[in-house]
């Protein structure tokens, strides 16, 4: 049984009112959501509040939600929660960032666990290349490579269709290659 199937079983148990299953999902996804959320919002307090809120709302509305992928559902929900939160802060005079999809999606060096010294240089190159991509390309590279999500899950999180997510990922890889090998055509 793969992770997604295991998650769906837990999800269905939780929808039936099983507190243990809900706790398992919380423990499994809290660190992943924290990691994903820091790409969108650097302020830990806001991020933690949004994750807590997300789980509270999920628990309260458990009868309503059918999901294909628990991970995609939670990532997408957190993303919109953070965007809303950051937008509200701006309109109340808080300085920083732009609106909606313009928020910077950040991928950092701590993402790669460097196994050996000779990988350090390669990793730095990869991070550098990702950093030069447009925001949505950075996000799709993160979701596909770091989080190992399927195109179906990515299209749900990024609110684009399946083919668009494949095309965007392909474009991102092409862009990274041209950043990497500027003279190579």
């Amino acid at each position: 049984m793969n992770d997604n199937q295991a998650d769906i079983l837990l999800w269905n148990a939780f929808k039936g009112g099983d507190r243990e299953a809900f706790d398992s999902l919380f423990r499994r996804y809290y660190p992943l959501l924290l990691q994903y959320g820091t790409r969108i919002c650097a302020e830990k307090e806001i991020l933690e509040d949004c994750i807590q809120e997300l789980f509270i709302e999920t628990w309260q509305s458990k009868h309503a939600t059918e999901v294909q992928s628990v991970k995609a559902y939670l990532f997408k929900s957190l993303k919109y929660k953070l965007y809303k939160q950051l937008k509200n802060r701006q309109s109340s005079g808080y300085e920083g960032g732009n609106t909606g999809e313009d928020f910077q999606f950040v991928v950092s060096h701590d993402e790669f666990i460097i196994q050996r010294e000779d990988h350090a240089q390669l990793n730095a190159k990869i991070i550098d290349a990702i950093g030069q991509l447009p925001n949505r390309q950075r996000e799709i590279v993160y979701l596909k490579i770091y989080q190992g999500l399927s195109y179906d899950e990515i299209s749900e999180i990024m609110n684009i269709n399946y083919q668009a997510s494949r095309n965007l990922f392909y474009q991102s890889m092409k862009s990274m290659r041209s950043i990497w090998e500027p003279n190579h055509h």
Side-chain angles (χ1 to χ4, degrees):
M1 181 184 330
N2 68 29
D3 282 351
N4 192 42
Q5 290 166 318
D7 285 350
I8 295 290
L9 286 177
L10 282 171
W11 186 264
N12 290 334
F14 134 67
K15 280 180 62 177
D18 183 339
R19 186 71 211 214
E20 282 294 296
F22 180 75
D23 291 344
S24 295
L25 286 169
F26 180 83
R27 280 193 304 274
R28 178 163 154 63
Y29 279 102
Y30 191 85
L32 293 173
L33 288 166
L34 206 52
Q35 190 186 37
Y36 173 65
T38 55
R39 312 277 150 261
I40 300 167
C41 171
E43 291 181 51
K44 207 164 183 212
E45 213 170 289
I46 294 176
L47 178 55
E48 288 174 345
D49 287 350
C50 284
I51 296 173
Q52 295 285 356
E53 211 175 282
L54 170 61
F55 277 103
I56 291 166
E57 287 167 11
T58 303
W59 176 256
Q60 289 169 342
S61 65
K62 61 179 168 283
H63 306 297
T65 325
E66 271 305 321
V67 299
Q68 303 303 307
S69 157
V70 176
K71 191 173 195 177
Y73 170 78
L74 292 173
F75 273 40
K76 180 182 185 173
S77 304
L78 178 62
K79 177 181 172 177
Y80 285 105
K81 227 173 218 332
L82 287 169
Y83 280 159
K84 223 169 89 185
Q85 186 72 25
L86 293 167
K87 249 193 188 131
N88 291 345
R89 292 188 65 188
Q90 269 163 10
S91 55
S92 67
Y94 172 77
E95 288 305 311
N98 323 32
T99 54
E101 291 296 328
D102 298 334
F103 284 110
Q104 283 302 303
F105 194 87
V106 185
V107 176
S108 61
H109 286 272
D110 62 1
E111 222 53 69
F112 283 104
I113 294 159
I114 296 166
Q115 308 298 335
R116 300 202 318 263
E117 207 36 57
D118 56 343
H119 288 165
Q121 219 173 353
L122 176 65
N123 291 342
K125 255 179 121 167
I126 292 170
I127 296 289
D128 186 53
I130 294 172
Q132 292 179 52
L133 296 175
N135 210 34
R136 287 179 70 70
Q137 288 188 2
R138 272 201 304 271
E139 185 175 4
I140 200 165
V141 167
Y142 176 82
L143 294 171
K144 185 87 185 112
I145 295 175
Y146 296 101
Q147 291 294 340
L149 293 171
S150 69
Y151 288 114
D152 284 326
E153 292 170 318
I154 289 168
S155 23
E156 186 182 332
I157 293 167
M158 295 187 74
N159 215 11
I160 53 181
N161 69 35
Y162 180 85
Q163 194 53 50
S165 71
R166 291 191 66 121
N167 296 349
L168 181 62
F169 185 70
Y170 174 74
Q171 265 319 115
S172 309
M173 292 295 101
K174 235 172 100 175
S175 303
M176 277 181 70
R177 216 166 294 130
S178 65
I179 291 166
W180 229 333
E181 307 161 356
N183 311 322
H184 188 70
H185 294 291

